[in-house]
Amino acid sequence: MLFMKTKQFLISVIVICFSLNVFSQIQSIDTTLVVAENQEAELAFNNGNVFYLEDNFEKAIIEFTKALTYNPSFVKALINRGSAYAKLLKHNNAVQDFNQALSIDNNNNLAYYGKGIAHYYLSEYVEAEISLSNAMLNGLNSDNVYYYAGVVFFEKGEYQKALENYTLAISFNSKNALAYNDRGSVKRALLDFDGAIVDYLAAIKIDPKMAVAYNNMGSAKWKKGDKEGAGLDYGMAVRIKPDYFIAYNNRASVRFEMKDFDGAIMDCEKAIQINPNYAYAYNNMGNAKIKLKKYAEAEIDFTKAININSNFAIAYLNRGICKERVRNFDGAIKDWEIANSLGIEKAQNYIQFYR
Amino acid sequence: MNYQKILLIVLILSSYWGNAQNVPFSMDTFNGDKQKYKEAQSFLKNAEEAFEREYYSIALEFYLKANEYNQNNAQLNYQIGLSYLNSVNRFLCLSYFERAFQLNRDIDREIHLMLARGLHLNMRFDEAVNEYKAHLGILSPEQLRNIKEDIEKLIYECEVGKELMLSDANSFVDNMGHVINTKYHEHSPLISADESMLIFTSTRDNGRKVDEEGHYDEDIYISYNKRKLWETPENIFEPVNTQFNDATVGLSPDGQKLLIYNGNKGNGDIQICWLNGDTWIYPKNLPNEINSEFKESSACFSPDGNKLYFVSDRLDGFGGSDIYVSKKSKRGKWQEPTNLGNFINSEFDEETVYMHPDGRKLYFSSCGHNTMGGYDIFVSYLNENNQWSVPENLGYPVNSPDDDLCFVISADGRHGYFSSIRADGYGGLDIFRTTFLGPEKPLTLCNEDNLIAVRTNPISEQVMEKSVELKTIRLTIVKGLVSDAFTNNPVLAQIDIVDNNTSEVIYTSQTNSATGKFLVTLPSGKNYALTVKADDYLFHSENFNIPQATEYQEVEKQIKLNNLKKDAKIVLNNVFFETGSSKLKPTSYAELGRLTKLLTDHSKLKIEISGHTDNKGAKTTNQKLSEARAKAVVDFLVSEGVENARLTFVGYAFDQPIADNSTEEGRARNRRVEFKILQN
C-alpha cells in the first residue's frame, strides 16, 4: 500500500509540474495524462501481455500473478497466465488457471479452448474433448479449435471423428498445413494410403518446408510398398530439417528392407549423432549389422539400446537372435525370456525350440 | 603434374613390374646349380606326364614340388591352378591362377575363365562375374555360340550365390570332426532316426588300392554316438563291403534295411541288405524295374516303405540324372517307376535323394534350379494334392559353390548331414552336420513418425485476452534545452510530438525563449518523433519508442541546432527501415515529410543523404546496405517532387561512427541516415 501511495504521489507531482508549465510554453495538454484512479491490476495485466508477446513467458506470469493479487477475479489475467503456463509446458498449472477462470465465467470459450489444449498435452483426451466441445458450443469457431479436436480424436483412435474435425479445420482455413498433414495420418491409419499421400502433398504445397509431412508421406509410401519413393521422401525430410533423426532412422529401415545394409548403418549413425539416446536407431543398426554378419558389433548396438531403455523388448528379442547366431544359446534364451516378460509372445516360441 | 613426378611414379611402378616378372626354368635361374635344376626339371616332367593322363592329384604333387624351386613361373602356376581345379580341393586353384595372371597376362586364352572359376568357388561372386564376362569378351563368334549358355549359367549361379549369402543364415554347419572324417573321401551319411548311428562311405585306407593315384575303393563304415561323442567308425565288412566300390545309399526309417550302391553291377546298381540282429545279410539287387541298363546311384524309401525314390540317368528324363519313384504293388513287387516331373527334375543332373520320415519333404541335390554352383541341396514339399512345390535352395551355409550332396535329416528336423568340400575339411569330401535354428526369426525394426504435426510443429497462436484500456497511462518526461550549436545561446524553437504510426502531430510546444528549456510528456505505448524546429535552423529530430509497459521515466536532452549553411548536417532519427533491407517503414514518412518541407521551403538547398551502419557483418554487405538506404531516402524525396539534381546519396558503411560500436546502444546510434547541406 505504501508503494502504491508513493507511486500515485509521484504521478500526481508530475501532473502538477506539467500543469504549472514550469519549463515550457505548452500550447495544449493531453488529458489522458491525468491519473484519476488506481488500475494496478490492469497495468500489470497489460505489462504481462507485453512480455507474453515478446515470448518472455516467465515475466508475463509474474505480471499476471501481480494482476491477480490486485484482483483475484480477473478472468483475463487467469486465462493469459494459463496460456503462458502452457507455453512453458506447465500444463497442469494451465489447467488450474483455466478452471479458475471458468469458475468465474462459465461461458468463456477461450478458457475452454486453452483448457482443452492443456488437457491434450497432458494426454487427458476425454477432458480435452469435453473442453474443446464446450469452446465450440460457446461460439469459438476457428480452424485451430477443430484441428485440436481432430488431434484428440486421433489420439483416442476415433479416426472417423478425427477425419471430420480435420476436414472442418481445413474448411475454415484451407491453408492449414498441419490439418492436411494430420488428416493424411488419419487416412493412413484407415489404410487409405493413396488418400494419405494426397493430403501430405497438400500440406507440403502449403508449407514446402514441412519436413514432418515429407517424413509421413515416406512412411505412407513405404506401407504401400513403394520403398524407393519412401526413401526419397525421407531424404527430403532430412534435407529440410538436417537434425530430423526420426527421418534418418526411417530411411535406415527402408534401406534395410532394400538390403542396403551399409546405407542403413550410415543413417542410423547419423540419427545417433543427432540424438545419442535414440534407442530405435541403435536397434535398427544392430539389425543391419546382423545382416552383414557383424555379430559382435550388433550385440553392442542392441546393448546400447537396452541401456537407454531397459524395457525395450524388441532390442532384447533382436539381441537374442544375434546371440543365437554366434551360438550363445544360453544368452539368447535369457534375452528372449526378458523380451517375453516385456510382452513379446513369439519370444516364447523361440525359447520353446531349445527345450 | 610435372615431368619429374611422372618419372618417379613410373619408376615405382616399374619396380612392381620387375617383381612380377615371369621367371623361366633355365640354368640361369638356378645360379648354375645343376643338381637343383635337374631335380626341378624332373618334377616338372613327372607332373606333365601325370597331367596328360589326367592324374591330377599326382600332377599336383609334382607341380608343387617344382614350385618350391621357382614360384615365379607363370606356366607352372597356371598348371597348378588347373590341377587343383580338376582335383578335389578345387577352391585352392585361385591363388595360382591369380599369380599366373600377374606374371603373364597372356598366359592362356582361358585365363579369365579360370580366374572366374576360382573366384566363383571362393564365393567372390562379383569379381567372378566380371571375369566370366571378360572371358566372353575375347571369344570368337563361333566359340561364343558354343559356350555362351554355359557361362551365362555360371554367371546366374554367382547372382544366386550373392543373394543366398545375404539371406539369413538360419543354420550352422560343422565338420563332423577327425573321428569321422579323414584325409580321404567321406560321404553319403545315413543316420538313424534318433541320430545314434551313422553309416557312411569312405575311401580311407582299407588295404586295397584301386588306381594309380593311390585311391582306395569305397567301403561302408558305421559309427555310434555315445554320450554325444561319435565312436571310431568300423568297417562293416562282408558281405556288404566287397573288393569293389560299396557305398551307402539309403536307410529305412527303422534302420533295418540298407540300400547300397554297387559300382561293379551293370553301370552302377542299387542293392538292398537287411539287418539280422547285428549282422547285415548279403546284399540283393533291386529288381529290374529299379535297376536298368543305366546308372542308378541313389535311392531312399518312403516312410511306409511302399515307395522307392531313386536317381537314374535313364534316357526318358529331363536331362542328365533324374529322380524317379516306384511304388510297391499289393503283392510287394516294385512297379514301373515314374519320373517325378519337371518341378523336381531340371535339365541338369539331380542326385542323392532323401525323403524325410514325415513323407512330405524330399531333399535332393541338383546342378540345376537356382544352385550357387555345382550340386546344391534342395527341398521340395509334397502338398495334399500330391503335387511337388518348386524346390527351395537350403541356402548358405549348407550350400556352397562346390558340390553339396547326400543330404539326410534327423526325424526332429534339427540336424542335417551331408557331404561337401570345405576349407575346414580334412581332405577330399567330408561329412558335415548342419544345425537348423528352427523357423526363421525375423529381425524387428523400430520406427516412428510424427503423425500429429502439432507435436513437432507447435501452433504459434496466442490463446490470450487482449490488453485492457487504461485510464491512467505511464509517462516518459522529456526535458531539455535547445541552443545554437555555434553560440550556445538559447533558441526559441517549436517542439512537435509526432505519433510515428499515424504520422500525426499529437502535441506541440515551444521552448522557453529565455532559457531554451522545454518539457514534454509522452504517454507509454507509442513510437514518437520529437522534432525541434526554429527559423533559419536545420530541424532536429529524436525518436522515442516507449512500450506500453514502460514505467515513469525522465529523459534529458541537450539539443544543438545548426544554421542552414554548407556542411551542416543532422541525423534523421525517425527514418526506419525493414531489418537488413533498404525498404522504408511507413513510420518514416513523417520525418521524410519534414525533410521534404525543408527542401521545398529552401529551394536553393542541395543536400547529401548518407547511409551508415554499425560494424557488424562484412564491409561489402554494409557498404551496399548503407548506400541502398541513402538511395531509398533520395527516391522518396524525388517521388515527393524534389528535384533529383539537388540530391546526392552515398553509403559510408561503418566508416563514420558517431558512437561506440562495442555497445548495443552505440551500434543503434551508428545505424542511421544523415543529411548534409552541400549548398545553400
Side-chain angles (χ1 to χ4, degrees):
Chain A
M1 286 303 286
L2 179 65
F3 169 75
M4 285 170 60
K5 281 183 179 170
T6 311
K7 261 191 163 177
Q8 274 187 329
F9 170 75
L10 181 61
I11 294 168
S12 301
V13 168
I14 293 160
V15 173
I16 291 163
C17 292
F18 198 87
S19 306
L20 290 175
N21 201 4
V22 173
F23 299 103
S24 62
Q25 298 165 7
I26 295 169
Q27 291 180 338
S28 67
I29 294 171
D30 187 343
T31 55
T32 60
L33 299 176
V34 176
V35 178
E37 56 182 293
N38 171 25
Q39 293 189 81
E40 294 299 336
E42 286 75 8
L43 269 172
F45 173 75
N46 286 357
N47 289 347
N49 275 4
V50 171
F51 285 125
Y52 187 110
L53 292 171
E54 289 171 352
D55 292 345
N56 191 344
F57 302 113
E58 287 91 351
K59 283 193 174 173
I61 288 168
I62 290 168
E63 291 297 323
F64 294 138
T65 304
K66 199 190 289 179
L68 287 163
T69 56
Y70 289 124
N71 178 7
S73 301
F74 200 168
V75 171
K76 290 182 177 183
L78 283 166
I79 289 172
N80 286 10
R81 189 173 69 175
S83 180
Y85 276 128
K87 291 280 186 184
L88 294 173
L89 308 181
K90 294 178 176 177
H91 298 295
N92 279 316
N93 298 63
V95 168
Q96 268 186 354
D97 275 354
F98 292 129
N99 279 337
Q100 181 66 22
L102 289 167
S103 71
I104 301 163
D105 176 6
N106 193 34
N107 296 318
N108 193 306
N109 57 27
L110 206 54
Y112 279 121
Y113 179 50
K115 180 168 142 66
I117 295 172
H119 278 306
Y120 162 67
Y121 282 112
L122 289 167
S123 302
E124 295 164 354
Y125 302 128
V126 175
E127 293 85 345
E129 182 193 337
I130 294 167
S131 295
L132 291 170
S133 170
N134 279 327
M136 293 175 203
L137 285 172
N138 283 284
L140 187 62
N141 276 310
S142 70
D143 57 328
N144 281 341
V145 71
Y146 288 106
Y147 172 77
Y148 274 110
V151 168
V152 169
F153 284 121
F154 186 97
E155 294 281 16
K156 288 175 74 182
E158 295 177 31
Y159 298 126
Q160 205 52 48
K161 286 184 180 173
L163 197 66
E164 288 163 11
N165 277 279
Y166 285 132
T167 302
L168 274 168
I170 290 165
S171 72
F172 270 93
N173 177 9
S174 62
K175 298 288 181 192
N176 191 329
L178 302 191
Y180 274 111
N181 174 81
D182 289 19
R183 193 173 71 175
S185 299
V186 174
K187 288 179 179 174
R188 188 179 131 183
L190 293 168
L191 306 182
D192 173 12
F193 300 122
D194 289 325
I197 290 166
V198 168
D199 272 350
Y200 290 134
L201 277 172
I204 290 164
K205 196 174 174 188
I206 297 163
D207 179 3
K209 297 284 180 191
M210 195 170 180
V212 166
Y214 271 111
N215 176 74
N216 293 341
M217 185 161 71
S219 296
K221 286 183 183 173
W222 185 11
K223 285 184 182 295
K224 236 187 108 183
D226 177 10
K227 291 175 194 168
E228 211 163 302
L232 291 173
D233 287 343
Y234 292 136
M236 276 302 292
V238 297
R239 205 171 304 156
I240 293 166
K241 189 170 160 35
D243 63 348
Y244 201 175
F245 59 88
I246 288 173
Y248 272 115
N249 184 55
N250 287 344
R251 190 170 67 178
S253 294
V254 169
R255 286 180 165 174
F256 177 92
E257 291 207 344
M258 293 172 81
K259 299 188 176 175
D260 174 11
F261 303 120
D262 289 318
I265 290 170
M266 273 171 59
D267 274 348
C268 288
E269 283 172 342
K270 190 75 189 170
I272 290 164
Q273 188 188 332
I274 298 163
N275 180 359
N277 289 317
Y278 198 40
Y280 281 9
Y282 278 113
N283 175 76
N284 293 350
M285 187 157 72
N287 285 347
K289 286 179 181 172
I290 284 182
K291 290 288 186 181
L292 293 173
K293 301 180 173 43
K294 296 177 178 175
Y295 300 118
E297 289 180 37
E299 189 177 330
I300 290 169
D301 289 337
F302 293 127
T303 303
K304 281 181 181 167
I306 290 164
N307 288 342
I308 293 166
N309 176 8
S310 59
N311 291 320
F312 195 175
I314 287 171
Y316 282 109
L317 185 79
N318 289 335
R319 191 172 70 175
I321 294 169
C322 182
K323 286 178 178 175
E324 186 190 49
R325 297 281 167 89
V326 292
R327 306 196 194 203
N328 177 3
F329 301 119
D330 290 338
I333 290 167
K334 275 182 191 163
D335 275 346
W336 291 333
E337 281 172 344
I338 298 170
N340 187 239
S341 72
L342 290 169
I344 297 186
E345 287 179 11
K346 68 178 172 187
Q348 189 57 40
N349 299 337
Y350 296 177
I351 297 163
Q352 214 55 45
F353 183 77
Y354 287 96
R355 292 196 171 144
Chain B
M1 194 180 291
N2 60 35
Y3 171 76
Q4 284 162 323
K5 281 187 179 171
I6 293 169
L7 186 64
L8 181 65
I9 290 168
V10 170
L11 282 171
I12 292 167
L13 288 174
S14 66
S15 69
Y16 288 107
W17 297 333
N19 286 342
Q21 269 177 355
N22 186 21
V23 177
F25 272 87
S26 66
M27 197 57 141
D28 293 344
T29 312
F30 291 83
N31 294 324
D33 188 334
K34 282 185 184 173
Q35 181 59 30
K36 282 190 175 176
Y37 176 68
K38 275 178 74 177
E39 283 171 10
Q41 286 296 339
S42 170
F43 286 134
L44 282 174
K45 185 167 174 286
N46 289 335
E48 288 300 327
E49 281 176 11
F51 191 88
E52 281 298 311
R53 297 171 68 186
E54 298 184 358
Y55 293 157
Y56 296 111
S57 60
I58 294 173
L60 193 53
E61 202 177 310
F62 287 119
Y63 279 137
L64 288 171
K65 282 180 179 166
N67 196 48
E68 288 172 14
Y69 292 92
N70 177 6
Q71 294 176 3
N72 293 319
N73 184 273
Q75 189 61 45
L76 176 57
N77 276 284
Y78 191 70
Q79 291 301 115
I80 294 172
L82 286 178
S83 302
Y84 268 125
L85 192 59
N86 287 288
S87 58
V88 176
N89 295 316
R90 302 199 294 163
F91 60 92
L92 293 175
C93 69
L94 179 60
S95 61
Y96 294 95
F97 285 138
E98 286 177 328
R99 184 72 182 139
F101 185 65
Q102 194 183 7
L103 292 164
N104 180 3
R105 298 174 73 87
D106 299 319
I107 180 66
D108 191 275
R109 197 170 162 73
E110 293 202 323
I111 182 63
H112 288 296
L113 179 60
M114 295 305 122
L115 282 167
R117 294 298 299 130
L119 290 162
H120 188 159
L121 287 162
N122 282 275
M123 293 191 278
R124 289 161 60 181
F125 297 115
D126 283 330
E127 295 164 83
V129 169
N130 288 340
E131 292 297 336
Y132 282 131
K133 287 179 178 172
H135 180 65
L136 285 176
I138 59 167
L139 295 178
S140 68
E142 191 183 344
Q143 288 170 321
L144 191 62
R145 268 195 299 278
N146 292 335
I147 202 172
K148 191 178 176 193
E149 208 172 315
D150 294 340
I151 301 291
E152 281 176 348
K153 181 176 187 300
L154 292 166
I155 290 172
Y156 174 69
E157 289 175 2
C158 288
E159 302 296 343
V160 169
K162 262 174 71 178
E163 200 168 314
L164 292 174
M165 288 285 287
L166 277 178
S167 55
D168 280 333
N170 210 28
S171 60
F172 299 117
V173 170
D174 297 299
N175 190 298
M176 289 286 284
H178 68 278
V179 174
I180 302 297
N181 291 315
T182 66
K183 64 180 180 177
Y184 303 96
H185 292 307
E186 279 78 28
H187 61 87
S188 305
L190 299 172
I191 199 88
S192 60
D194 60 357
E195 297 179 79
S196 65
M197 178 180 74
L198 174 73
I199 305 175
F200 63 97
T201 306
S202 175
T203 59
R204 65 189 63 186
D205 185 355
N206 59 6
R208 296 192 301 274
K209 282 190 182 176
V210 292
D211 63 26
E212 292 185 42
E213 287 193 272
H215 295 149
Y216 297 92
D217 66 318
E218 292 174 330
D219 268 355
I220 296 170
Y221 294 82
I222 189 164
S223 174
Y224 295 96
N225 193 329
K226 299 269 176 71
R227 290 186 291 275
K228 295 190 175 179
L229 289 173
W230 290 102
E231 292 184 332
T232 304
E234 290 180 3
N235 190 311
I236 62 175
F237 295 116
E238 289 187 338
V240 177
N241 285 329
T242 65
Q243 58 182 319
F244 304 107
N245 281 325
D246 307 293
T248 42
V249 164
L251 187 68
S252 61
D254 59 7
Q256 300 298 304
K257 286 179 278 189
L258 179 67
L259 294 168
I260 60 172
Y261 170 81
N262 189 324
N264 199 42
K265 298 273 183 182
N267 280 320
D269 279 353
I270 295 166
Q271 298 179 308
I272 186 169
C273 44
W274 286 263
L275 188 62
N276 183 10
D278 57 358
T279 308
W280 291 99
I281 293 175
Y282 197 82
K284 189 180 162 189
N285 247 30
L286 288 175
N288 290 342
E289 285 78 10
I290 309 297
N291 285 319
S292 67
E293 57 184 306
F294 299 95
K295 182 181 177 184
E296 282 72 37
S297 55
S298 173
C300 71
F301 291 108
S302 62
D304 59 6
N306 288 328
K307 287 180 190 167
L308 185 82
Y309 297 92
F310 66 98
V311 175
S312 173
D313 65 355
R314 60 192 65 186
L315 295 176
D316 59 350
F318 290 94
S321 305
D322 276 5
I323 302 172
Y324 293 79
V325 62
S326 174
K327 294 177 185 171
K328 200 184 265 183
S329 69
K330 287 179 182 172
R331 293 181 185 173
K333 205 178 165 195
W334 292 111
Q335 295 181 319
E336 199 60 37
T338 54
N339 189 299
L340 279 192
N342 64 357
F343 263 44
I344 300 286
N345 292 313
S346 69
E347 59 183 301
F348 301 96
D349 285 339
E350 276 66 45
E351 259 301 348
T352 62
V353 62
Y354 177 77
M355 171 58 83
H356 188 270
D358 68 4
R360 291 282 164 192
K361 293 193 278 289
L362 188 78
Y363 294 88
F364 62 97
S365 292
S366 172
C367 290
H369 302 296
N370 59 331
T371 173
M372 73 161 89
Y375 284 105
D376 271 7
I377 300 162
F378 294 83
V379 60
S380 178
Y381 302 91
L382 189 65
N383 70 16
E384 290 163 357
N385 300 321
N386 283 329
Q387 291 167 323
W388 294 105
S389 68
V390 174
E392 291 175 13
N393 190 310
L394 289 197
Y396 178 83
V398 173
N399 285 317
S400 69
D402 211 330
D403 293 339
D404 307 291
L405 292 152
C406 312
F407 186 85
V408 295
I409 191 166
S410 61
D412 64 7
R414 292 277 182 96
H415 299 122
Y417 297 80
F418 65 101
S419 317
S420 186
I421 297 164
R422 305 275 163 106
D424 63 345
Y426 290 87
L429 281 161
D430 274 4
I431 297 173
F432 293 83
R433 186 176 90 147
T434 178
T435 304
F436 292 106
L437 300 177
E440 189 185 347
K441 300 179 185 72
L443 294 164
T444 309
L445 295 164
C446 287
N447 295 91
E448 60 185 333
D449 288 313
N450 300 108
L451 294 175
I452 296 175
V454 75
R455 290 275 190 195
T456 47
N457 296 20
I459 295 174
S460 63
E461 70 172 342
Q462 275 114 19
V463 181
M464 64 181 290
E465 294 281 10
K466 290 178 182 170
S467 295
V468 293
E469 193 176 339
L470 296 175
K471 290 175 185 169
T472 57
I473 300 175
R474 289 300 190 208
L475 300 174
T476 293
I477 288 180
V478 183
K479 60 184 180 180
L481 189 149
V482 179
S483 59
D484 183 291
F486 183 70
T487 65
N488 280 333
N489 290 332
V491 174
L492 173 64
Q494 179 180 319
I495 295 173
D496 289 339
I497 305 297
V498 180
D499 180 345
N500 276 332
N501 288 318
T502 61
S503 298
E504 287 177 15
V505 176
I506 58 169
Y507 182 69
T508 300
S509 177
Q510 276 188 319
T511 57
N512 185 294
S513 57
T515 63
K517 288 183 178 177
F518 69 94
L519 181 149
V520 290
T521 55
L522 307 175
S524 298
K526 286 183 178 171
N527 184 330
Y528 297 102
L530 183 152
T531 66
V532 182
K533 295 184 287 190
D535 291 341
D536 299 325
Y537 286 97
L538 270 175
F539 71 83
H540 178 95
S541 73
E542 293 284 341
N543 175 254
F544 294 94
N545 187 23
I546 307 172
Q548 176 75 45
T550 307
E551 299 282 353
Y552 171 77
Q553 62 178 346
E554 286 185 18
V555 179
E556 279 202 43
K557 285 281 172 189
Q558 301 295 320
I559 297 168
K560 304 279 187 190
L561 293 182
N562 288 300
N563 287 113
L564 279 168
K565 61 183 181 185
K566 187 170 179 291
D567 291 333
K569 60 181 176 183
I570 61 165
V571 177
L572 298 171
N573 282 317
N574 288 287
V575 171
F576 309 103
F577 296 93
E578 301 284 351
T579 306
S581 154
S582 61
K583 189 178 178 189
L584 283 163
K585 284 187 174 179
T587 46
S588 310
Y589 296 159
E591 180 93 325
L592 294 172
R594 285 187 287 278
L595 184 55
T596 306
K597 186 167 187 311
L598 178 78
L599 291 166
T600 309
D601 292 347
H602 301 85
S603 57
K604 291 182 182 172
L605 272 182
K606 287 189 176 177
I607 63 166
E608 172 196 270
I609 301 292
S610 58
H612 304 263
T613 66
D614 62 23
N615 66 349
K616 292 273 179 185
K619 176 74 182 288
T620 48
T621 309
N622 281 313
Q623 179 62 43
K624 279 183 191 167
L625 183 63
S626 59
E627 193 171 309
R629 286 182 166 177
K631 183 175 183 300
V633 171
V634 166
D635 289 345
F636 181 90
L637 296 171
V638 170
S639 72
E640 291 293 307
V642 179
E643 280 179 65
N644 206 0
R646 299 171 62 195
L647 308 166
T648 57
F649 65 87
V650 62
Y652 290 110
F654 44 71
D655 289 342
Q656 296 182 2
I658 57 171
D660 184 1
N661 263 319
S662 65
T663 66
E664 179 48 45
E665 192 184 347
R667 286 194 293 275
R669 288 188 61 202
N670 286 332
R671 295 190 294 269
R672 68 195 191 277
V673 173
E674 289 182 354
F675 88 77
K676 184 168 85 173
I677 296 175
L678 300 176
Q679 184 184 316
N680 188 7

